[in-house]
Amino acid sequence: TTLGGGNNNNGGNSNGSGNNESNSKPRGASKSVAQTSPPPPPLVFDDTCKASDVFPGSAHRDTTVEEQLRFERKGHVCIRGILSHDEARDMVSELIKETKARQLEAYRHRIAVLCPGYTGDAAALTTVAQAQEVLEQFSEEEVGFLQTFNLHRPDDYLAVGAPSAAPAAPAVDPALLGPADPVVDHPAGDSSAGGDSSSSAPACAKFILSERLARVAAQLLGVDAESGERLRLYQSCVFVK
């Protein structure tokens, strides 16, 4: 910009006397560099643990074309004959035990869903009676049903994260299951649920991580094991009315 009669040859400002005063900083002037945070580390999943063989492989059956089409078209399907009466009885028995053991956890979840006006800490509630009192006071809806999540995890692996003794895990730490060669991952320190007596996973985990059930889900979803695809177990959940 020229303010007077001088010449401007380098983009500076002329003060009218013919002298050129440059706006550029002198050599050696410091420059501020924007500080950027490092990218987060990539997620790493443990794919070394095998799925449970709690149900004998000799009783496995493939889903039919009709069942696959029904699931593809409607998004849900009832598949009968996957488990025997005795197998289903044993599974239900263990699931009921674990659900009752985590009843307080389920009530805390309902408080988070139904009581937006509650400003207290649901995690600080220590009894079911306390949780029921909060629901009665702050919820305008009936409880309806209880939800217990991730019963295949150790009981100290709550929805809010991994146990305090272990590093925080990602919100979704999936199990990887394939139709022909199911593979299951577990949190740090959690060994395979397929019969290891040292495992801290609950007894019902072996049913949730069953290879037979994984095969059914993989076939319905069209998982191509030969190309290396795997099915991820997002979560397990039991609804109790």
Side-chain angles (χ1 to χ4, degrees), residues 20 25 38 67 76 120 129 151 161 167 172-173 176-177 179 189 223 231 239:
N20 194 334
K25 292 184 178 180
E67 290 168 338
H76 59 86
L151 287 89
V172 179
D173 185 12
L176 305 182
L177 303 176
V223 174
L231 181 70
F239 292 69

Side-chain angles (χ1 to χ4, degrees), residues 83-96 207:
L83 302 178
S84 69
H85 181 273
D86 291 340
E87 289 171 338
R89 179 196 59 205
D90 294 342
M91 180 178 67
V92 170
S93 176
E94 292 295 345
L95 287 172
I96 290 176
F207 298 103

Side-chain angles (χ1 to χ4, degrees), residues 25-106:
K25 292 184 178 180
R27 294 181 180 180
S30 62
K31 296 181 180 179
S32 60
V33 179
Q35 299 295 325
T36 58
S37 57
L43 297 179
V44 178
F45 299 112
D46 177 10
D47 297 343
T48 60
C49 298
K50 295 295 182 180
S52 165
D53 57 357
V54 61
F55 301 131
S58 59
H60 290 356
R61 82 163 176 87
D62 292 331
T63 56
T64 65
V65 174
E66 290 77 12
E67 290 168 338
Q68 294 174 21
L69 286 174
R70 190 175 297 117
F71 178 77
E72 178 70 22
R73 292 168 177 171
K74 296 187 175 182
H76 59 86
V77 63
C78 176
I79 301 182
R80 303 186 183 278
I82 296 296
L83 302 178
S84 69
H85 181 273
D86 291 340
E87 289 171 338
R89 179 196 59 205
D90 294 342
M91 180 178 67
V92 170
S93 176
E94 292 295 345
L95 287 172
I96 290 176
K97 289 179 183 178
E98 188 64 24
T99 300
K100 288 183 177 180
R102 302 193 190 193
Q103 189 177 43
L104 178 57
E105 177 186 333

Side-chain angles (χ1 to χ4, degrees), residues 129-223:
Q130 291 176 341
Q132 291 174 331
E133 184 178 349
V134 171
L135 285 165
E136 182 177 355
Q137 182 178 355
F138 291 94
S139 176
E140 297 180 357
E141 305 177 33
E142 294 184 357
V143 173
F145 57 86
L146 297 176
Q147 294 172 270
T148 307
F149 292 91
N150 294 327
L151 287 89
H152 62 293
R153 302 291 193 189
D155 57 6
D156 58 349
Y157 190 93
L158 303 180
V160 295
S164 57
V172 179
D173 185 12
L176 305 182
L177 303 176
D181 183 22
V183 180
V184 182
D185 80 317
H186 298 276
D190 180 18
S191 57
S192 173
D196 185 350
S197 60
S198 64
S199 174
S200 59
C204 66
K206 60 181 177 288
F207 298 103
I208 299 172
L209 302 177
S210 160
E211 178 180 354
R212 190 188 301 175
L213 300 182
R215 287 172 60 89
V216 171
Q219 290 175 5
L220 291 176
L221 293 172
V223 174

